[in-house]
Amino acid sequence: MEYFEDIHVGNARQSEVEYELTPEEIIEFCSKWDPLPFHTDVKAAEATPVGRLFTSAVHSIAIAIRLGHDLNPEPTATEIGLGWDQVRFHSPACAGDRLRVRGEVIEALPSSSKPHLGIIRSQLNLLNQRDEPVVTFQAAAVVRRRPPRTCRRRASQRGAAAVG
């Protein structure tokens, strides 16, 4: 488990596997969550300045979040997410794009009111195969601090120590 104390400002990671965005996925997601014609119809998308099928901003964020979870080699002791700041949509994610995420810890603050918790803020960048940013944002989360280690001796050790 990765705790607050294991996370340091400047820690940066990038997803190792690219995520290929398919036309079918775009149409399925957007039909349910953002049913604008240029997200759900190839011909309508071709008539836009983008010129091909592209997904919604909400879908791009969802992909960035999902890929971001894979950045840590082991689970993080996250309690709850606090929110996103400075969300920017730089370019559309289109059918056939291969996406990856880059994350960097930009702030680590111990909680002053809850000493068993800390707040981590990270910069996340969803990039396409040309290394162009698709979506960038900062995400903040509450993370548990490492539990204190207690010194526990077995009863036989306590008994032996008392005799000596």
Side-chain angles (χ1 to χ4, degrees):
M1 181 70 63
E2 191 172 58
Y3 293 93
F4 176 82
E5 290 79 7
D6 304 316
I7 302 168
H8 305 285
V9 171
N11 283 4
R13 296 180 178 143
Q14 181 169 294
S15 53
E16 294 181 20
V17 178
E18 291 182 329
Y19 182 88
E20 186 165 350
L21 191 56
T22 66
E24 296 80 14
E25 179 183 354
I26 292 171
I27 292 169
E28 180 182 351
F29 183 94
C30 292
S31 292
K32 185 171 184 178
W33 300 108
D34 196 358
L36 296 172
F38 48 78
H39 292 318
T40 60
D41 181 86
V42 173
K43 293 238 184 267
E46 288 172 350
T48 69
V50 176
R52 59 189 178 131
L53 190 64
F54 61 99
T55 198
S56 71
V58 174
H59 192 194
S60 296
I61 288 176
I63 293 168
I65 295 294
R66 177 61 187 97
L67 294 175
H69 286 297
D70 292 338
L71 292 178
N72 295 332
E74 59 183 275
T76 303
T78 303
E79 287 283 312
I80 192 167
L82 293 176
W84 307 325
D85 294 310
Q86 300 182 23
V87 179
R88 299 291 179 268
F89 303 105
H90 301 275
S91 61
C94 298
D97 279 355
R98 294 181 318 279
L99 306 170
R100 66 189 183 293
V101 73
R102 184 178 299 143
E104 181 176 351
V105 177
I106 59 173
E107 189 173 42
L109 299 171
S111 172
S112 56
S113 62
K114 297 183 180 179
H116 65 289
L117 300 173
I119 297 171
I120 299 294
R121 183 177 304 280
S122 299
Q123 174 70 40
L124 292 171
N125 302 313
L126 183 66
L127 307 167
N128 64 22
Q129 67 276 3
R130 293 176 300 280
D131 216 26
E132 300 165 337
V134 174
V135 176
T136 60
F137 60 98
Q138 294 179 5
V142 175
V143 177
R144 288 190 309 272
R145 299 196 67 176
R146 185 172 300 288
R149 294 185 182 184
T150 57
C151 184
R152 295 182 186 196
R153 293 186 286 177
R154 293 187 305 222
S156 62
Q157 289 176 320
R158 283 193 302 268
V163 173

